[in-house]
Amino acid sequence: MHSPVQNTAPKHIVFYDGDCALCAGMMGKIAGSSRSGKFEFCDFTQGALPGGITRAAVEKEIHVLGGDGRLYKNADAILKILEEYRGWGWLSLARKFSLTRRWLCRSYDFIAARRKRFLFSHAHRVFHGNESGGFTEPGERVVV
């Protein structure tokens, strides 16, 4: 008799600001997606953080403790999450090009610094507009 194969790959732990509508919406999309089993979620406003990760750091930028034991922050954390989704993993190649990576990190910093002021209504439409409950696949239309 065969026992079912279990996925024993380590999960990625995502540390985020649950008071941020954009962050919470993104985590809701990941949790509702087909890849949700690859992640654990830690809203820093609700629980303790492991050593080496401070509340101030997570409030400033998302952190992902990868299943490989490495810590990813800022745009690198978003790219690490996207690696788990079919059709989106190629974006992680951006980490290999310093100019592209620098642009992504600066773009992330710009949005993150303003996320609580002007992104609430847009984030709500984007993250709740997709009726499938998961990340959109490339080419899939999102109703906003």
Side-chain angles (χ1 to χ4, degrees):
M1 180 177 212
H2 296 282
S3 61
V5 176
Q6 293 184 350
N7 182 3
T8 58
K11 292 185 178 189
H12 306 299
I13 305 172
V14 183
F15 301 96
Y16 69 99
D17 178 358
D19 287 340
C20 165
L22 183 64
C23 305
M26 183 178 169
M27 294 311 110
K29 279 299 189 189
I30 295 168
S33 76
S34 63
R35 308 301 289 168
S36 63
K38 297 278 187 175
F39 302 96
E40 288 182 29
F41 306 97
C42 181
D43 173 357
F44 87 88
T45 65
Q46 301 294 316
L49 294 169
I53 301 177
T54 65
R55 293 176 63 86
V58 177
E59 188 168 21
K60 180 182 176 203
E61 59 191 0
I62 189 170
H63 286 56
V64 174
L65 182 58
D68 58 5
R70 293 182 55 201
L71 185 63
Y72 301 85
K73 301 183 276 188
N74 196 292
D76 288 331
I78 301 297
L79 293 172
K80 187 64 180 170
I81 291 168
L82 289 175
E83 282 179 8
E84 294 296 337
Y85 290 88
R86 181 177 53 88
W88 292 98
W90 64 271
L91 287 171
S92 65
L93 293 173
R95 274 191 239 138
K96 296 181 185 219
F97 303 102
S98 64
L99 185 61
T100 306
R101 185 176 176 280
R102 192 169 32 241
W103 180 82
L104 286 171
C105 289
R106 287 186 179 162
S107 297
Y108 179 97
D109 289 341
F110 179 83
I111 292 168
R114 292 156 181 80
R115 72 189 189 275
K116 291 186 180 180
R117 281 188 284 174
F118 67 85
L119 287 175
F120 178 80
S121 62
H122 179 69
H124 188 271
R125 285 195 312 270
V126 168
F127 289 112
H128 296 289
N130 178 358
E131 295 177 11
S132 68
F135 269 118
T136 19
E137 298 293 334
E140 182 181 344
R141 188 169 164 246
V142 176
V143 179
V144 179

